Amino acid sequence: MNYFFSGDFHILILVAWILSTAVADAVSAGIFAVDESTPAPADTTATTDATDTDLSTIRGVNIGGVFLVEPFIKPSLFDQFLNLSEADRPVDEWTFSQTLGKEEARRQLEDHWDTFVTKEHLEQLVMSGINWIRIPIGYWAFNLTDAEPFIDGQVPYVERILEWSRDLGLSVELDLHGAPGSQNGYDNSGRRGTPEWLLSRTNVDRTLDALTKMTLLAVDWPDVVRGIQILNEPSRWKWPVADILSFYNEAYDIVHALAPDAYFMIHDTFLSPNDWPSLVSANWTNALMDTHIYQMFDDYMVTLNETAHIEMVRTMAQNITQFDRKQFGVVVGEFSAATHDCTKYINGFGRGSRWDGSIDYANGQKHCPFDTCTCTGDYGGNVTEFSTHYKRFLRRYVDAQLEIYDQEIVGWFYWNFRTEAAPEWDYLLGVEQGWIPKFARSAFPKQEDVDSVMEATAPDESSKSPASAVRPSAGLPILLGTILLRCLASMLV
């Protein structure tokens, strides 16, 4: 029916005008209001599906500190030893198990494996836009001798995570995080001290055996495990690059023969990107370079101010993006929001920080960008003491990193999914607090939204009047008016 020449048409116009005016008045009165204490939903037209396995969309987190414990991730595991003399205190998983004895170490570690990561954690990660996880595992889960104090039995718990990942559509990278003799001498290898990994062929053979068994685990989960990192952070300071490449080639033959569809992932050994070609072989296929980028494990880095830290992100990534375009794909396998080393045990159990000069070699010399350098407030471990300004900086710093890692290379894995008392290293806490965006980079709230995000999580937010967080929305009358006009237009056809 055509209403154009009907008197009823004028009545419809009048009704539309009355309704639009009434809605506008209601909005002005606050009847229809939008709570802006939290950021608006992200643009859902961007890809945030965790089942999206295109390499260009790797958005991951590390499930670190579970199957290879690190003191800073769960300090309570090591705080139980504070009553011991400094010489007797364990500093890594090797001495942790050695000090407790196998029976008690197994009891505590099995409880830790069972509770520190849950399916609920993975669900929260998926809801925040994560589509990959990286699972660090020590060699002793696959190859343990009677002479070693380590505890094995991790594999069933790893497989439980793989099952959860399958249910949730997450892709997984299995990461051999520690090698016999220690590949770098850090506690993240399982044994702190002088590295001895390449000093014997036995260590190499045991590493390759552990890698073989880890790869066979991946073969059992081909729809879930899509990446295999052959060894985390072998030290170029200790081992000649040629020897590391020789190991990489042996490892490639194993992984490629057993799981050719999984990504073969190597670490850059902390070499400059300009030197990365010396770590790769021309005949490798399906390979990715893993690099770890931090701005706090260096005397100079911790002296930078906030602006310099953000500018340093682009400087450090420049050659990485070029390698990604010219050679093969690059993944930033570890990074965080931290720019200081005040985090409890971040430099190792019993060690202090560069920031406040308490680290053993500093002799009291402080390294921070301020006149007063203390590990309190913004630089302490209590997120409730973080200022709004500091949270805004954390958001800008994370955004600066993801602007590159998410758009200009293959992708990224944040370290870590959660911690016990290290806020800047805790992905889930960062999402909750607003300094880590909840969705994929293309769907992030833009920079102008950052202030509202930070205000929503400011410590003094509860002191504000509830009405101060609410304002009328102008979008609703426009929407209803549009609907009414479209209805009228359809009547005219």
Side-chain angles (χ1 to χ4, degrees), residues 4 32 48 120 199-200 310-311 337 340 356 489:
F4 188 77
F32 297 116
T48 58
E120 182 181 359
L199 294 182
S200 77
I310 292 173
E311 291 173 349
H340 63 79
D356 67 1

PDB file of all heavy atoms in Angstrom, residues 4 32 48 120 199-200 310-311 337 340 356 489:
ATOM      1  N   PHE A   4       1.724   7.619   0.418  1.00  0.00           N
ATOM      2  CA  PHE A   4       2.235   8.944   0.090  1.00  0.00           C
ATOM      3  C   PHE A   4       1.122   9.970  -0.004  1.00  0.00           C
ATOM      4  O   PHE A   4       1.260  11.092   0.456  1.00  0.00           O
ATOM      5  CB  PHE A   4       3.023   8.910  -1.211  1.00  0.00           C
ATOM      6  CG  PHE A   4       3.724  10.207  -1.486  1.00  0.00           C
ATOM      7  CD1 PHE A   4       4.899  10.541  -0.815  1.00  0.00           C
ATOM      8  CD2 PHE A   4       3.192  11.113  -2.393  1.00  0.00           C
ATOM      9  CE1 PHE A   4       5.533  11.738  -1.076  1.00  0.00           C
ATOM     10  CE2 PHE A   4       3.835  12.299  -2.648  1.00  0.00           C
ATOM     11  CZ  PHE A   4       5.016  12.626  -1.991  1.00  0.00           C
ATOM     12  N   PHE A  32      17.521   6.407  30.157  1.00  0.00           N
ATOM     13  CA  PHE A  32      18.361   5.544  29.340  1.00  0.00           C
ATOM     14  C   PHE A  32      19.797   6.047  29.500  1.00  0.00           C
ATOM     15  O   PHE A  32      20.110   7.142  29.059  1.00  0.00           O
ATOM     16  CB  PHE A  32      17.967   5.605  27.871  1.00  0.00           C
ATOM     17  CG  PHE A  32      16.574   5.114  27.597  1.00  0.00           C
ATOM     18  CD1 PHE A  32      15.603   5.982  27.105  1.00  0.00           C
ATOM     19  CD2 PHE A  32      16.239   3.801  27.839  1.00  0.00           C
ATOM     20  CE1 PHE A  32      14.333   5.527  26.834  1.00  0.00           C
ATOM     21  CE2 PHE A  32      14.960   3.346  27.575  1.00  0.00           C
ATOM     22  CZ  PHE A  32      13.999   4.201  27.078  1.00  0.00           C
ATOM     23  N   THR A  48      38.807 -12.337  16.365  1.00  0.00           N
ATOM     24  CA  THR A  48      39.227 -12.647  17.726  1.00  0.00           C
ATOM     25  C   THR A  48      38.919 -14.093  18.064  1.00  0.00           C
ATOM     26  O   THR A  48      39.082 -14.512  19.200  1.00  0.00           O
ATOM     27  CB  THR A  48      38.503 -11.741  18.740  1.00  0.00           C
ATOM     28  OG1 THR A  48      37.081 -11.910  18.594  1.00  0.00           O
ATOM     29  CG2 THR A  48      38.847 -10.291  18.533  1.00  0.00           C
ATOM     30  N   GLU A 120      39.429 -22.906  33.861  1.00  0.00           N
ATOM     31  CA  GLU A 120      38.843 -21.572  33.975  1.00  0.00           C
ATOM     32  C   GLU A 120      39.821 -20.498  33.525  1.00  0.00           C
ATOM     33  O   GLU A 120      39.435 -19.520  32.884  1.00  0.00           O
ATOM     34  CB  GLU A 120      38.406 -21.309  35.414  1.00  0.00           C
ATOM     35  CG  GLU A 120      37.739 -19.954  35.607  1.00  0.00           C
ATOM     36  CD  GLU A 120      37.324 -19.697  37.046  1.00  0.00           C
ATOM     37  OE1 GLU A 120      37.530 -20.587  37.893  1.00  0.00           O
ATOM     38  OE2 GLU A 120      36.796 -18.602  37.321  1.00  0.00           O
ATOM     39  N   LEU A 199      78.918 -29.260  27.134  1.00  0.00           N
ATOM     40  CA  LEU A 199      80.236 -29.763  27.530  1.00  0.00           C
ATOM     41  C   LEU A 199      80.359 -31.272  27.339  1.00  0.00           C
ATOM     42  O   LEU A 199      81.465 -31.809  27.379  1.00  0.00           O
ATOM     43  CB  LEU A 199      80.526 -29.402  28.991  1.00  0.00           C
ATOM     44  CG  LEU A 199      80.670 -27.909  29.306  1.00  0.00           C
ATOM     45  CD1 LEU A 199      81.010 -27.713  30.780  1.00  0.00           C
ATOM     46  CD2 LEU A 199      81.720 -27.255  28.412  1.00  0.00           C
ATOM     47  N   SER A 200      79.233 -31.943  27.156  1.00  0.00           N
ATOM     48  CA  SER A 200      79.295 -33.390  26.931  1.00  0.00           C
ATOM     49  C   SER A 200      78.267 -33.826  25.897  1.00  0.00           C
ATOM     50  O   SER A 200      77.168 -33.257  25.826  1.00  0.00           O
ATOM     51  CB  SER A 200      79.051 -34.155  28.240  1.00  0.00           C
ATOM     52  OG  SER A 200      77.671 -34.175  28.567  1.00  0.00           O
ATOM     53  N   ILE A 310      59.002   3.550  25.660  1.00  0.00           N
ATOM     54  CA  ILE A 310      58.084   3.382  24.533  1.00  0.00           C
ATOM     55  C   ILE A 310      58.817   3.564  23.213  1.00  0.00           C
ATOM     56  O   ILE A 310      58.611   2.813  22.250  1.00  0.00           O
ATOM     57  CB  ILE A 310      56.894   4.352  24.669  1.00  0.00           C
ATOM     58  CG1 ILE A 310      56.027   3.933  25.873  1.00  0.00           C
ATOM     59  CG2 ILE A 310      56.064   4.389  23.383  1.00  0.00           C
ATOM     60  CD1 ILE A 310      54.921   4.894  26.212  1.00  0.00           C
ATOM     61  N   GLU A 311      59.707   4.541  23.154  1.00  0.00           N
ATOM     62  CA  GLU A 311      60.494   4.739  21.939  1.00  0.00           C
ATOM     63  C   GLU A 311      61.425   3.556  21.686  1.00  0.00           C
ATOM     64  O   GLU A 311      61.673   3.179  20.536  1.00  0.00           O
ATOM     65  CB  GLU A 311      61.308   6.032  22.058  1.00  0.00           C
ATOM     66  CG  GLU A 311      60.450   7.290  22.037  1.00  0.00           C
ATOM     67  CD  GLU A 311      61.252   8.546  22.319  1.00  0.00           C
ATOM     68  OE1 GLU A 311      62.432   8.413  22.739  1.00  0.00           O
ATOM     69  OE2 GLU A 311      60.708   9.659  22.129  1.00  0.00           O
ATOM     70  N   ALA A 337      54.807  -6.292  30.491  1.00  0.00           N
ATOM     71  CA  ALA A 337      54.574  -4.857  30.692  1.00  0.00           C
ATOM     72  C   ALA A 337      55.601  -4.250  31.626  1.00  0.00           C
ATOM     73  O   ALA A 337      55.564  -3.048  31.880  1.00  0.00           O
ATOM     74  CB  ALA A 337      53.172  -4.632  31.248  1.00  0.00           C
ATOM     75  N   HIS A 340      60.916  -2.390  35.067  1.00  0.00           N
ATOM     76  CA  HIS A 340      61.793  -2.339  36.233  1.00  0.00           C
ATOM     77  C   HIS A 340      62.028  -3.767  36.725  1.00  0.00           C
ATOM     78  O   HIS A 340      61.308  -4.695  36.347  1.00  0.00           O
ATOM     79  CB  HIS A 340      61.167  -1.496  37.350  1.00  0.00           C
ATOM     80  CG  HIS A 340      59.884  -2.069  37.877  1.00  0.00           C
ATOM     81  ND1 HIS A 340      59.845  -3.114  38.778  1.00  0.00           N
ATOM     82  CD2 HIS A 340      58.581  -1.761  37.612  1.00  0.00           C
ATOM     83  CE1 HIS A 340      58.590  -3.411  39.053  1.00  0.00           C
ATOM     84  NE2 HIS A 340      57.798  -2.611  38.361  1.00  0.00           N
ATOM     85  N   ASP A 356      66.833  -0.526  42.814  1.00  0.00           N
ATOM     86  CA  ASP A 356      67.131   0.102  44.109  1.00  0.00           C
ATOM     87  C   ASP A 356      68.544  -0.184  44.600  1.00  0.00           C
ATOM     88  O   ASP A 356      68.901   0.158  45.738  1.00  0.00           O
ATOM     89  CB  ASP A 356      66.105  -0.322  45.162  1.00  0.00           C
ATOM     90  CG  ASP A 356      66.186  -1.803  45.516  1.00  0.00           C
ATOM     91  OD1 ASP A 356      67.057  -2.511  44.957  1.00  0.00           O
ATOM     92  OD2 ASP A 356      65.387  -2.255  46.361  1.00  0.00           O
ATOM     93  N   ALA A 489       9.831   4.472   5.343  1.00  0.00           N
ATOM     94  CA  ALA A 489      10.311   4.346   3.966  1.00  0.00           C
ATOM     95  C   ALA A 489       9.770   3.086   3.320  1.00  0.00           C
ATOM     96  O   ALA A 489       9.430   3.065   2.143  1.00  0.00           O
ATOM     97  CB  ALA A 489      11.838   4.340   3.953  1.00  0.00           C
TER      98      ALA A 489
END
